[in-house]
Structure formats: structure tokens, C-alpha cells
């Protein structure tokens, strides 16, 4: 039956569930596009034949058209669903994605993310505030964190360098911790 | 932010994964017009064309396109789970029925199926509504009162849409408890990072 390849894409997204982005399935997307192309060509052939006087081809044309529409819907959903999760990543992790997540995005998704970044930054500049910070209402300026990985040194906005190694406790400014916590490098205690 | 977006999946819309899955359910259809050159769709036969009277299990999206007010290329049968016999069972006690077995998208597919305008439509829609009403209280009850318990047995009987409702109930219960213990004010790592860690740990084991 038509449209089965496309459904695989949707099933893949569903299987992965919330919060995990699978690699862009270029191979299947290509196969779906090929199926659509051949459907379109056959329809084109049949419509030309009909206009030359052949009878009884229209039901077939309609069936193929339904399959075309279905494939289109599924592809659009696939792209939309991924774009939404990518946008969410931007809010959770800031402008730089960890390399293993980044490698799961396709070329066009990366350029989309770049554009999304650009408009978000432009907006934040216009309102004069970083709206991706403090998504939860802050209760204090400084918070205590414990480091969970061997991360190495980072430079703080104050100019001080801080060495993050597993199991160490730090008392840091909240705004500085937020990205570190989002990436799972430190955890709040 | 994402949660509100995902919840909107309860409603039907073009870009909804659940809606796409529901419209993939099969409907038994009989062809009333000959379709030329597409005989290969009927796997059982070698004919070149789809003849009048051929019976096939078509996915809902295709059947709905080929059977409406304007076109009558196929004729559809009511799926078993919405027929009178099953409706009586649901009427008797909706809570004990395994809706997941009756098609994981019982409500959604049911309401999609109503678009065919068959004589039974009114009864089916009433049955869908009453089943939902009958089960809703039970679902809310278990989702609000069981935490840290194995619920997989209860959950396996739920339809996809009920699962969303159940998860919402559980989440709100957890959120409330987190708020009471002041956990909710804490900053958390991104969901994707947490998932990925789990996966890596599994690979190591």
C-alpha cells in the first residue's frame, strides 16, 4: 500500500518519545519523495491520456492523489515535529548544542536553527533582556551546586577561572549555573 | 512550554502524530468502480485492474478519500469494534473493557469513522461518548491516587487518548508533591541530556 514508508518516519518519532531526537532519516525521506514522484508521473500520464479521450482512468487518478496528499501530510508533520524539538533545545541549552546532539540534525535543520537563533537574538536585543534565562522564578542570587562530571576549567563572567571536577561543591551565581545545569554538568543541591 | 503544545494533540489537526496514526487504521471496503492499472494493490490477486466487487482492507485516509458525498468509488463496512455487539458490551460496563485491544485509537478512529455518514452513525457517536464518560472517572481516580506503584497493568487497557489524560493526572500529582517538598524550584538538566545519559549507561552495561 502507498504511504507505508512515510509512516515509518512517524513511528520512529513516536517510539523515541518526548525529549529525544532521533537522527534525521534521510534515506526514508528520499524513498518517500521517490514514491511521490512516481505517483505524480503516473497521474500526469493518465490525465494526459484522459484528455485525449480515454475513459475510466479517473478513479485511479483520485486514488493516487489521496496517496500523494497523505505522503505530503506525513513529511510535513515529520519536519514540523523535529523543528519544534530543535527550537526547544535552543531554550534548554543555549546557542551551542553538544556535538552528539548536533550530529543528529540534518544540514537544513542546522541552517534553520541558525535563523531561529538570529531572530531570537534580534528580539532579545529589541526588548533588552535575555528571555531564555530564569524560566523558573529565581529564589536567590547564588545557588549551591555539585559537579557530576569531569568537565575541566571554565571562565566565569567575573574573570575567575573555576575548575569543575567530579564531586566538588561550588557556590555560584544563578545566571552562571543555568546553562551548566541544563547540560547536566552540575546539579543543584 | 512543550507540555502545552503536546497536549494539544488531543485535538485533531493536520500535523498531529496521533491523528496520523489513527487514520492509518484499516476499514474493510468494497470497490464499486473499476480502477485501472492498480491491481497490484490487491496482494492476493494477479489481475491488472481492481475490478468492481473486490474487497480490501484500506487505510482510513484512503477510504475516506474514495467514499464521500462526491465520490462513491468504494463502499465501507463498519469495523468490528463499533458494531452493535461490541457496543452492547461497552454499554454494560465500559470500565472493564480493554480499549487498547479494540484498536489503540478507539476514540479517535471512531470519530474519524463517523465522517462516512452511515445509518449507524448516531448510535456509534453516542456509544463513544458514553464509553468515555463511563471510564473517565475511573481513569482520573487511579491517576490521582497511585504514585510509586506498578501501573502497567492498568495502563495497558487504556486507549491512546486516555493514556494522555492518565499521564496528565500523574504529572499534576507529581508536580504538587514536588511543590510541597520545594523540589519544583530547583533547576533541572534538560530532558534530552537525561535520556541520553540513561541510554549510554544501558550501552555500557
Amino acid at each position: 500500500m502507498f504511504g507505508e514508508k512515510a509512516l515509518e518516519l512517524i513511528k520512529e518519532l513516536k517510539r523515541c518519545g518526548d525529549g529525544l531526537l532521533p537522527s534525521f532519516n534521510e534515506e526514508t525521506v528520499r524513498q518517500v519523495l521517490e514514491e511521490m514522484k512516481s505517483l505524480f508521473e503516473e497521474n500526469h500520464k493518465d490525465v494526459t491520456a484522459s484528455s485525449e479521450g480515454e475513459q475510466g482512468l479517473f478513479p485511479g487518478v483520485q486514488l493516487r492523489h489521496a496517496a500523494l496528499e497523505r505522503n505530503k501530510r506525513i513529511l510535513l508533520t515529520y519536519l514540523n515535529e523535529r523543528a519544534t524539538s530543535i527550537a526547544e533545545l535552543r531554550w534548554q541549552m543555549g546557542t551551542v548544542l553538544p556535538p552528539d546532539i548536533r550530529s543528529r540534525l540534518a544540514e537544513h535543520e542546522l541552517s534553520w536553527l541558525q535563523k531561529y537563533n538570529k531572530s531570537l537574538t534580534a528580539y532579545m536585543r529589541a526588548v533588552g533582556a535575555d528571555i531564555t534565562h530564569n524560566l523558573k522564578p529565581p529564589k536567590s542570587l547564588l545557588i549551591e551546586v555539585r559537579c557530576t562530571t569531569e568537565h575541566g576549567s571554565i571562565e566565569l563572567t567575573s574573570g575567575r577561572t573555576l575548575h569543575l571536577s567530579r564531586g566538588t561543591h561550588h557556590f555560584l551565581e544563578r545566571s552562571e549555573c543555568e546553562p551548566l545545569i541544563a547540560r547536566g554538568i552540575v546539579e543543584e543541591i | 512550554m512543550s507540555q502545552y503544545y503536546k497536549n494539544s494533540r488531543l485535538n485533531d489537526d493536520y500535523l498531529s502524530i496521533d491523528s496520523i496514526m489513527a487514520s492509518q487504521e484499516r476499514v474493510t471496503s468494497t470497490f464499486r468502480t473499476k480502477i485501472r492499472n492498480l491491481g497490484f494493490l490487491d496482494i492476493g490477486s494477479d489481475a491488472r485492474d481492481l475490478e468492481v466487487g473486490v474487497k480490501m482492507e484500506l487505510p482510513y485516509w484512503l477510504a475516506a478519500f474514495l467514499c464521500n458525498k462526491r465520490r462513491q468509488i468504494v463502499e465501507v463496512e463498519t469495523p468490528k469494534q463499533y458494531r452493535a455487539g461490541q457496543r452492547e458490551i461497552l454499554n454494560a460496563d465500559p470500565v472493564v473493557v480493554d480499549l487498547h485491544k479494540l484498536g489503540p485509537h478507539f476514540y479517535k478512529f471512531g470519530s474519524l469513522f463517523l465522517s462516512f455518514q452511515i445509518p449507524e452513525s448516531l448510535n456509534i457517536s453516542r456509544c463513544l461518548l458514553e464509553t468515555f464518560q463511563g471510564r473517565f472517572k475511573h481513569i482520573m481516580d487511579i491517576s490521582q491516587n497511585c504514585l510509586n506503584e506498578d501501573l502497567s497493568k492498568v495502563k495497558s487497557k487504556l486507549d491512546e487518548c486516555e493514556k494522555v489524560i492518565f499521564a496528565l493526572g500523574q504529572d499534576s500529582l507529581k508536580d504538587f508533591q514536588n511543590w510541597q517538598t520545594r523540589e519544583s524550584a530547583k533547576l533541572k538538566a534538560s530532558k534530552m541530556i537525561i535520556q541520553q545519559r540513561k541510554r549510554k549507561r544501558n550501552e555500557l552495561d
Side-chain angles (χ1 to χ4, degrees), chain A residues 16-180:
Chain A
C16 281
D18 276 358
L20 200 67
L21 195 68
S23 299
F24 188 78
N25 198 336
E26 219 151 320
E27 179 60 23
T28 314
V29 170
R30 198 182 48 80
Q31 284 170 349
V32 175
L33 286 174
E34 249 163 46
E35 185 186 300
M36 289 174 78
K37 206 172 154 202
S38 75
L39 280 168
F40 180 77
E41 270 162 12
E42 289 202 18
N43 263 1
H44 191 74
K45 208 175 69 194
D46 277 8
V47 170
T48 326
S50 296
S51 63
E52 279 163 7
E54 228 181 305
Q55 296 289 312
L57 286 171
F58 271 123
V61 171
Q62 272 161 345
L63 195 149
R64 286 194 206 99
H65 186 69
L68 270 172
E69 289 280 344
R70 172 76 175 175
N71 277 334
K72 178 177 129 192
R73 178 180 178 189
I74 293 182
L75 281 182
L76 285 175
T77 308
Y78 185 67
L79 294 176
N80 178 57
E81 196 73 16
R82 286 182 64 91
T84 321
S85 353
I86 294 170
E88 206 176 301
L89 280 178
R90 164 66 185 87
W91 283 77
Q92 287 171 355
M93 298 193 208
T95 42
V96 191
L97 291 183
D100 43 346
I101 292 179
R102 201 183 156 83
S103 67
R104 289 194 222 135
L105 307 190
E107 196 83 11
H108 61 265
E109 287 174 320
L110 286 173
S111 68
W112 180 84
L113 179 64
Q114 231 167 33
K115 280 185 201 150
Y116 182 78
N117 259 333
K118 232 183 228 169
S119 36
L120 192 64
T121 334
Y123 177 73
M124 291 198 285
R125 202 179 304 128
V127 293
D130 186 348
I131 52 171
T132 61
H133 266 183
N134 290 327
L135 292 178
K136 280 181 185 170
K139 291 244 156 82
S140 57
L141 272 178
L142 297 158
I143 49 177
E144 203 181 346
V145 293
R146 183 195 297 128
C147 188
T148 55
T149 46
E150 291 293 337
H151 186 66
S153 302
I154 52 157
E155 195 170 336
L156 302 177
T157 36
S158 60
R160 201 158 59 94
T161 35
L162 184 71
H163 189 70
L164 290 173
S165 61
R166 201 192 180 101
T168 49
H169 285 219
H170 305 276
F171 201 50
L172 294 174
E173 255 179 68
R174 194 184 157 93
S175 58
E176 227 141 14
C177 286
E178 267 188 340
L180 293 177

Side-chain angles (χ1 to χ4, degrees), chain B residues 67 76-79 113-122 124:
Chain B
C67 171
V76 294
E77 270 174 37
T78 311
F113 187 77
L114 293 177
S115 71
F116 284 124
Q117 291 169 340
I118 41 172
E120 278 182 302
S121 281
L122 190 67
I124 294 178

Side-chain angles (χ1 to χ4, degrees), chain A residues 4 14 18-20 54-55 62 66 70 73 77 81 88 92-93 100 104 136 181-182 184 188, chain B residues 2 9 13-14 18-20 23-24 26 36 61 65 71 73 186-187 189-190 192 195-197:
Chain A
E4 240 142 55
K14 182 135 175 120
D18 276 358
L20 200 67
E54 228 181 305
Q55 296 289 312
Q62 272 161 345
R70 172 76 175 175
R73 178 180 178 189
T77 308
E81 196 73 16
E88 206 176 301
Q92 287 171 355
M93 298 193 208
D100 43 346
R104 289 194 222 135
K136 280 181 185 170
I181 292 176
E188 188 178 356
Chain B
S2 68
R9 279 188 190 162
D13 58 336
Y14 189 74
D18 281 335
S19 178
I20 289 179
S23 55
Q24 190 66 27
R26 306 266 156 170
R36 288 172 60 181
W61 55 268
F65 196 84
R71 324 184 179 90
I73 298 175
K186 269 193 188 175
L187 298 169
S190 147
M192 194 173 295
Q195 287 253 22
Q196 211 170 15
R197 288 241 167 107

Side-chain angles (χ1 to χ4, degrees), chain A residues 59 62-63, chain B residues 31 58 62-68 71-74:
Chain A
Q62 272 161 345
L63 195 149
Chain B
F31 282 89
L58 295 180
L62 189 54
F65 196 84
L66 299 177
C67 171
N68 52 31
R71 324 184 179 90
Q72 292 285 340
I73 298 175
V74 298

Side-chain angles (χ1 to χ4, degrees), chain B residues 12-191:
Chain B
D12 187 284
D13 58 336
Y14 189 74
L15 295 174
S16 135
I17 289 187
D18 281 335
S19 178
I20 289 179
M21 299 289 278
S23 55
Q24 190 66 27
E25 300 276 322
R26 306 266 156 170
V27 187
T28 312
S29 328
T30 318
F31 282 89
R32 292 174 70 183
T33 317
K34 182 176 164 180
I35 299 192
R36 288 172 60 181
N37 301 331
L38 283 168
F40 64 88
L41 288 179
D42 189 6
I43 299 161
S45 81
D46 296 328
R48 201 162 158 269
D49 306 332
L50 283 172
E51 299 289 343
V52 175
V54 170
K55 233 184 205 188
M56 264 176 77
E57 299 262 301
L58 295 180
Y60 168 81
W61 55 268
L62 189 54
F65 196 84
L66 299 177
C67 171
N68 52 31
K69 270 187 213 144
R70 279 186 297 148
R71 324 184 179 90
Q72 292 285 340
I73 298 175
V74 298
E75 201 171 301
V76 294
E77 270 174 37
T78 311
K80 218 168 112 201
Q81 65 264 40
Y82 305 115
R83 286 198 202 141
Q86 187 63 46
R87 286 208 303 269
E88 259 167 49
I89 298 176
L90 283 168
N91 229 346
D93 188 0
V95 178
V96 293
V97 180
D98 187 346
L99 272 197
H100 192 81
K101 216 161 141 196
L102 291 183
H105 301 276
F106 184 80
Y107 298 115
K108 189 134 233 172
F109 178 47
S111 47
L112 283 174
F113 187 77
L114 293 177
S115 71
F116 284 124
Q117 291 169 340
I118 41 172
E120 278 182 302
S121 281
L122 190 67
N123 289 331
I124 294 178
S125 64
R126 194 174 293 144
C127 165
L128 287 175
L129 183 64
E130 278 166 8
T131 310
F132 185 75
Q133 285 173 335
R135 291 167 66 94
F136 182 72
K137 199 178 152 217
H138 174 67
I139 293 168
M140 207 171 137
D141 211 30
I142 47 174
S143 78
Q144 289 294 302
N145 290 309
C146 311
L147 202 63
N148 308 324
E149 261 172 75
D150 184 21
L151 291 167
S152 50
K153 219 174 168 186
V154 187
K155 263 159 79 178
S156 70
K157 280 189 179 178
L158 300 182
D159 158 77
E160 288 292 316
C161 148
E162 289 173 338
K163 272 187 192 154
V164 176
I165 295 174
F166 182 82
L168 279 178
Q170 289 261 290
D171 283 349
S172 68
L173 181 64
K174 272 180 206 148
D175 280 351
F176 179 63
Q177 290 211 329
N178 281 344
W179 178 79
Q180 279 183 320
T181 53
R182 290 188 159 247
E183 280 287 321
S184 63
K186 269 193 188 175
L187 298 169
K188 289 267 161 57
S190 147
K191 253 191 261 161

